[in-house]
Amino acid sequence: MGTKIDTYYKTFDLKIAQQYFFNPIYTMDILHILQKRKDITLVSIDGNVGSGKSRLLEYIEKINPGSTCQEDLGKWQETPLNTLQVQEKSIFELYYSNPERFAGLFQINVLLTKFWGIVKTINDASPGSTIYIERSPVIDSECFARLCKKSGNMTEVEWSVYMNTYETLKFTRIIEPDFIIYLDTTPSTSFFRMKKRGRSEEKVLNIEQFELWDTQHKKSLKNTQFLQLDANKDLKECPQLFNSMHTSILTYIKK
């Protein structure tokens, strides 16, 4: 007989499934989105955790509302209904606190929330628009998901399900960026920013993890065309840097 906590985990898995199959946003006409995607320029802003992706996208959104698609942290931090009187945790917190159990589920959740976020942004965009997304699902799969598999935190079954889902979504070409912008920061800079922002879920992370992510990001980008920008200076502290970064991005994507 399963324990209450086992039942809680199953409840969480069901909650994630319901999130995708019963939400009205996911009934949009995908054929229409596929057609619109042909006229959209998709630019991904990539980089390590704490590299300044969200900050850069916030500045872009201010001058061009509706042009950005950030990672849906809110969905990652949602908790299931507490029907078992067990302390609730979000999938984000569960991933970091118990990666052996939740890495596979979390990575699939990230992939799907990214996909539907991009779909919604494309649906709302005007033809010929440029959309900036936070971290390409393509690079995400080669960095975070692959490291989960390599570390043993994703089983062969979980990896197979993840890759089948990823390849299916990639086949639509909806998630594949036209341009990649890589915000380059030292692992120590990224680690310091993560500590400074103080997300409770990330308190278990250490500098070694950031060094591993940095190495894997650069490995994932090998043989890929991208624009690298030095992001070691914080836009929040040096907002004047945005103009030069934005100009570099526009020049790159209009070549």
Side-chain angles (χ1 to χ4, degrees), residues 67-134:
S67 67
T68 65
C69 177
Q70 297 195 39
E71 290 182 317
D72 201 340
L73 183 64
K75 279 201 180 301
W76 303 354
Q77 293 177 322
E78 287 180 355
T79 56
L81 296 175
N82 188 1
T83 59
L84 302 170
Q85 301 304 312
V86 179
Q87 183 178 0
E88 293 184 1
K89 291 184 179 180
S90 69
I91 185 64
F92 194 33
E93 185 176 358
L94 288 168
Y95 165 59
Y96 278 133
S97 63
N98 189 0
E100 296 86 357
R101 169 62 179 84
F102 288 101
L105 182 62
F106 178 72
Q107 292 302 327
I108 292 172
N109 186 39
V110 168
L111 180 60
L112 290 174
T113 53
K114 281 179 182 291
F115 174 75
W116 289 114
I118 293 171
V119 165
K120 184 179 185 304
T121 308
I122 291 174
N123 184 66
D124 296 341
S126 301
S129 298
T130 297
I131 293 175
Y132 298 85
I133 64 173
E134 183 173 6

Side-chain angles (χ1 to χ4, degrees), residues 204-233:
V204 298
L205 296 176
N206 54 45
I207 185 64
E208 288 76 19
Q209 186 65 64
F210 282 76
E211 291 169 347
L212 188 62
W213 284 334
D214 180 69
T215 300
Q216 190 64 23
H217 267 97
K218 290 178 170 62
K219 183 178 179 181
S220 301
L221 289 165
K222 193 175 182 180
N223 302 321
T224 300
Q225 288 189 334
F226 64 96
L227 172 66
Q228 180 169 310
L229 297 176
D230 186 342
N232 284 293
K233 290 185 178 180

